[in-house]
Amino acid sequence: MNKTKKLYEGKAKIVYETENKNFLVVEYKDDATAFNGEKKGKIKGKGVINNKVTNHLMQILEKENISTHFVEEISERETVVKNVKIIPLEVIIRNISAGSFSKRYGVKEGIVFDNPTIEFSYKDDNLGDPLINEYHALALNVASKDEIDKIKSIAFKINDILKSYFKKLDVDLVDFKLEFGKTLEGEIILADEISPDTCRFWDSKTHKKLDKDRFRQDLGDVEGAYFEMMNRIIKN
Ligand code: TMP
């Protein structure tokens, strides 16, 4: 599949059109941002790692009957994906308190929830991806009630699958962000990426952070953490 035209360049990825309107090519960059682009940097090798990790996890999900946009990895940094219209919602699932949850509600990190939580942010960089509820999403015409119900149920199913998968790798899946898209036929499928950029991973034994929080919080050994996660994932 050949790239024809650059369609969109985001903070971490570039999306290209191909000669077939049903497919796009995604290219993963080493660029890293945090706090809505306020903090900028590069994580050497991140694009290659996030490409591999995302594709591996999407294939695990496909085996569990979750439809994803994944088609084929075509190079270290590039993957062919189905052409979907991204639903402008960041869907965040949390199993353990951390990040903006701890900040917003004034609780320490590391509280293990009895039940996972779900929240939505409205995907708009100019607005700083504000938190919204389902009623806001309906009012903004972001998705229909049925679509939101479907997204919630797929997101919780993905959480069940990934939580037990990561447990076997001695990793606690603290929280993660998903994005969904609509195919040209109107089916809702998982899109975007699942990587150390978009998940919080803590080593189950040492509790070492193995994700982008090392970059966000200047914890050091950012590349090492990404590499460690890739190695654990591609072996399983
Ligand atoms: P948060 O605690 O900052 O709200 O982040 C929750 C999860 O979502 C965390 O795993 C990181 C991920 N995330 C993204 O993928 N993109 C973003 O822009 C933000 C803010 C968080």
Side-chain angles (χ1 to χ4, degrees):
M1 196 82 48
N2 292 312
K3 299 187 278 190
T4 49
K5 186 177 129 213
K6 192 195 267 195
L7 190 61
Y8 168 79
E9 177 155 5
K11 287 178 282 199
K13 299 189 284 299
I14 306 173
V15 181
Y16 298 90
E17 285 178 348
T18 67
E19 61 272 280
N20 184 331
K21 72 169 176 19
N22 293 303
F23 301 106
L24 302 172
V25 168
V26 178
E27 181 183 330
Y28 288 77
K29 305 191 284 184
D30 284 351
D31 298 347
T33 63
F35 315 117
N36 201 24
E38 260 175 57
K39 181 181 168 84
K40 287 193 178 70
K42 267 193 197 299
I43 302 173
K44 203 162 166 280
K46 171 171 90 81
V48 173
I49 292 174
N50 285 0
N51 187 36
K52 280 200 174 67
V53 164
T54 295
N55 294 341
H56 192 91
L57 295 175
M58 294 240 176
Q59 288 173 88
I60 285 173
L61 293 172
E62 287 278 357
K63 282 197 198 114
E64 301 281 344
N65 294 318
I66 303 284
S67 299
T68 78
H69 74 168
F70 174 76
V71 178
E72 187 190 6
E73 191 171 302
I74 52 169
S75 78
E76 277 201 312
R77 288 175 187 272
E78 295 167 307
T79 294
V80 178
V81 298
K82 289 178 196 152
N83 185 4
V84 293
K85 193 162 181 283
I86 293 288
I87 295 167
L89 285 178
E90 300 203 336
V91 180
I92 294 160
I93 297 260
R94 299 178 194 270
N95 298 304
I96 300 174
S97 64
S100 70
F101 184 96
S102 291
K103 193 162 177 228
R104 179 173 307 116
Y105 304 117
V107 293
K108 64 178 193 313
E109 290 202 332
I111 302 164
V112 180
F113 304 142
D114 290 338
N115 293 295
T117 68
I118 192 163
E119 71 207 41
F120 302 105
S121 291
Y122 182 43
K123 235 177 103 62
D124 185 324
D125 281 342
N126 291 326
L127 301 173
D129 300 337
L131 198 61
I132 60 172
N133 67 29
E134 285 177 51
Y135 294 91
H136 299 143
L138 288 176
L140 291 166
N141 249 323
V142 162
S144 70
K145 173 88 175 71
D146 280 355
E147 287 169 345
I148 293 172
D149 287 345
K150 180 146 195 235
I151 286 171
K152 281 197 297 189
S153 117
I154 305 171
F156 281 123
K157 194 170 166 208
I158 291 173
N159 186 43
D160 287 340
I161 298 164
L162 293 184
K163 222 169 50 173
S164 48
Y165 168 77
F166 282 111
K167 197 79 211 158
K168 287 185 266 167
L169 312 189
D170 270 330
V171 169
D172 290 333
L173 178 61
V174 175
D175 57 31
F176 57 98
K177 185 262 301 181
L178 301 173
E179 293 183 25
F180 292 86
K182 229 182 195 179
T183 62
L184 302 177
E185 293 79 39
E187 191 198 353
I188 297 219
I189 63 175
L190 181 68
D192 196 52
E193 66 179 282
I194 312 176
S195 72
D197 270 16
T198 62
C199 303
R200 284 195 174 92
F201 299 127
W202 294 352
D203 183 281
S204 303
K205 294 195 176 108
T206 64
H207 303 296
K208 183 178 175 183
K209 294 182 177 185
L210 296 171
D211 57 62
K212 195 176 167 188
D213 268 354
R214 302 205 73 80
F215 168 80
R216 293 189 189 101
Q217 301 170 10
D218 295 316
L219 300 176
D221 193 27
V222 185
E223 280 87 1
Y226 275 70
F227 194 69
E228 171 71 27
M229 277 311 301
M230 176 182 69
N231 279 339
R232 290 196 202 184
I233 289 167
I234 57 173
K235 284 191 202 131
N236 287 274

